[in-house]
Amino acid sequence: MLSNVRVALVTGANKGIGFAIVRDLCRKFSGDVVLTARDEARGRAAVQQLQAEGLSPRFHLLDIDDLQSIRALRDFLLKEYGGLDVLVNNAGIAFRGQNHIPLPIKAEVTMKTNFFGTRDVCTELLPLVKPQDGVSKMGLTVLSRIHARKLSEQRRGDRIFLNACCPGWVKTDMGGPTAIKSLEEGAETPVYLALLPSDEKGPHGEFVMEKKVEKWGPHSQLPSWLLSLILP
């Protein structure tokens, strides 16, 4: 076990913003950085590309739609590191140029991955986050507010920050070629949150754009039906 070694993990990181986040963390994070992808060949190719740049990420297979895959990653983190320091939930899908697919099917598939898959990752991996120096970023605003509240209630005194962020309109497969931000620019806010010092007061449970907290929702209150939907 390398429990004295800090570890940061990025989901869906074989390309796009996730790949750029891994690259930046490899340069700035004091510890190991794990690049995950659901396609092993693409994931290992991404690692090799970063190794050619003189960086040293590790690879682990992860399909956030597969609970067994998530739990295998959980077991790996426990065995190798005794926990987790930084979690960046980046994995997600979007339908582009596939208008023949009925909208209800698109919605169901998108929600399964982008919402429920991310929820399952949080359920399995957030308990591993080490106190004092753990920072988590998640890409779902409401879900992040709920988990931030739970962390504050259940782990009082542990300096663990959890936020949602928007990287902006980035030149990726989803964003398209006319987007205004490069991959490196899109990674800036997620990496900023991932590297927040543990002695900072926050942000925590917030929605962040351009490294600034943005207000969202009427009084930021969550309806009870939404809480019951998200939390088992």
Side-chain angles (χ1 to χ4, degrees):
M1 180 190 296
L2 304 174
S3 57
N4 60 324
V5 178
R6 301 177 73 226
V7 58
L9 183 139
V10 186
T11 69
N14 63 284
K15 63 178 181 178
I17 298 174
F19 181 80
I21 292 172
V22 169
R23 175 189 280 137
D24 216 10
L25 285 175
C26 283
R27 293 169 176 164
K28 300 176 180 178
F29 178 71
S30 58
D32 288 353
V33 179
V34 180
L35 180 157
T36 71
R38 63 181 176 180
D39 185 293
E40 183 167 2
R42 293 177 181 176
R44 293 195 180 279
V47 166
Q48 290 177 357
Q49 181 178 339
L50 293 173
Q51 289 174 338
E53 298 176 14
L55 305 174
S56 303
R58 299 188 69 177
F59 172 74
H60 200 284
L61 191 67
L62 173 65
D63 181 352
I64 69 171
D65 288 338
D66 183 345
L67 192 56
Q68 289 186 336
S69 177
I70 298 172
R71 288 175 174 170
L73 175 60
R74 176 200 63 191
D75 294 343
F76 162 80
L77 292 169
L78 282 172
K79 179 181 178 181
E80 292 287 314
Y81 300 98
L84 178 63
D85 295 282
V86 176
L87 170 63
V88 181
N89 276 308
N90 169 78
I93 63 170
F95 287 90
R96 289 178 56 82
Q98 300 183 46
N99 295 326
H100 62 283
I101 300 177
L103 181 58
I105 294 178
K106 289 182 180 180
E108 180 180 357
V109 172
T110 302
M111 283 290 290
K112 179 184 178 183
T113 297
N114 295 359
F115 184 85
F116 292 105
T118 300
R119 182 197 64 177
D120 291 342
V121 170
C122 294
T123 299
E124 297 296 330
L125 299 190
L126 282 183
L128 275 60
V129 176
K130 302 172 186 176
Q132 305 303 324
D133 56 1
V135 181
S136 298
K137 187 283 297 183
M138 23 191 67
L140 296 169
T141 307
V142 174
L143 186 60
S144 68
R145 175 62 60 90
I146 293 172
H147 278 293
R149 181 183 298 176
K150 288 188 67 181
L151 281 173
S152 297
E153 292 173 350
Q154 297 174 0
R155 300 180 63 168
R156 297 181 186 276
D158 289 352
R159 299 297 295 164
I160 300 173
F161 299 139
L162 189 153
N163 296 285
C165 78
C166 175
W169 188 20
V170 184
K171 289 184 176 69
T172 63
D173 290 346
M174 293 185 188
T178 60
I180 59 176
K181 281 190 174 186
S182 67
L183 293 178
E184 292 73 22
E185 290 170 330
E188 285 182 3
T189 295
V191 171
Y192 155 73
L193 290 173
L195 298 180
L196 279 173
S198 60
D199 57 358
E200 290 284 340
K201 295 182 179 179
H204 176 57
E206 302 287 0
F207 175 64
V208 181
M209 291 183 65
E210 306 296 340
K211 301 181 184 178
K212 297 180 181 178
V213 173
E214 298 286 339
K215 298 301 180 184
W216 59 277
H219 310 296
S220 298
Q221 296 298 311
L222 299 172
S224 58
W225 66 267
L226 189 53
L227 283 166
S228 63
L229 170 67
I230 298 172
L231 301 177

